[in-house]
Structure formats: structure tokens, C-alpha cells
């Protein structure tokens, strides 16, 4: 398995200018509005676990108009103990 992290900047995500325009383009935004703008400047992030077959994995990426994407791929080492059963946590298997 691999871990894929995708960071996206486009017209909606990671775009403080769009947020500023929606505020009415204030010349001197107050503290609260500055916090909103700083938050809006953060890229959108997506996280996925992807299978590896024959030392390969498939990344299916579709970019929107004016999008910039950074994809980070990290191999995963299985650290789950053999006795662990997630179904028990969800109440699907009696303990």
C-alpha cells in the first residue's frame, strides 16, 4: 500500500483572493477577516491509501481549470497488530 496526499490550489481552494472578493474586497480587513483569509489561503488536501500491484500503483488525477496540484506518494509499512480487528470497534463482531 501507499499513502497519497494531494494538495490543490485552484479558483476555490487555496485562494485567498476569491475569499477577499466575496468579502467585498475590503481595503483594511479586520482581525477576524484576516483569519478567514489566512484559512482560505491553505491548499485543499485529500488523503488516500492506494494498492500496489507488481510494484506499481495507479494515480487517476483530473485537474480543473487553473489548478495546481502537488501529489506526494509515500510507501506504507503495515503496523497493525495481527490480533487487531476493526470490526470489533464498530460493534460488528462480538468481543
Amino acid at each position: 500500500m501507499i499513502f497519497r496526499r494531494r494538495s490543490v490550489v485552484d479558483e476555490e481552494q487555496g485562494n485567498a483572493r476569491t475569499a477577499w472578493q466575496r468579502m467585498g474586497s475590503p481595503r483594511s480587513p479586520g482581525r477576524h477577516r484576516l483569519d478567514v483569509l489566512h484559512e482560505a489561503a491553505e491548499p485543499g488536501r485529500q488523503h488516500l491509501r492506494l494498492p500496489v500491484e507488481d510494484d506499481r500503483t495507479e494515480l487517476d488525477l483530473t485537474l480543473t481549470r487553473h489548478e495546481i496540484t502537488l501529489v506526494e506518494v509515500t510507501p506504507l509499512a503495515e503496523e497493525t497488530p495481527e490480533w487487531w480487528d476493526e470490526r470489533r470497534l464498530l460493534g460488528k463482531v462480538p468481543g
Side-chain angles (χ1 to χ4, degrees):
M1 294 296 255
I2 64 165
F3 177 75
R4 185 206 76 175
R5 176 179 164 172
R6 181 178 180 180
S7 301
V8 176
V9 174
D10 61 14
E11 293 176 350
E12 296 295 321
Q13 303 175 84
N15 190 334
R17 184 174 189 272
T18 299
W20 176 73
Q21 288 175 323
R22 288 183 180 154
M23 290 178 184
S25 307
R27 287 185 184 193
S28 299
R31 176 165 289 199
H32 174 69
R33 285 185 169 180
L34 283 174
D35 290 342
V36 171
L37 291 172
H38 285 286
E39 186 177 319
E42 287 295 316
R45 291 198 171 81
Q46 302 168 343
H47 306 91
L48 282 177
R49 242 175 46 172
L50 297 171
V52 175
E53 294 178 19
D54 298 325
D55 292 331
R56 294 177 173 257
T57 192
E58 187 172 316
L59 297 175
D60 185 18
L61 300 173
T62 303
L63 277 60
T64 61
R65 193 175 129 199
H66 303 298
E67 178 180 327
I68 298 170
T69 291
L70 169 66
V71 177
E72 299 171 84
V73 179
T74 308
L76 288 178
E78 185 60 51
E79 296 181 7
T80 306
E82 291 182 24
W83 52 266
W84 184 265
D85 187 349
E86 194 170 279
R87 295 173 299 170
R88 291 179 60 194
L89 288 175
L90 301 174
K92 295 182 180 180
V93 174

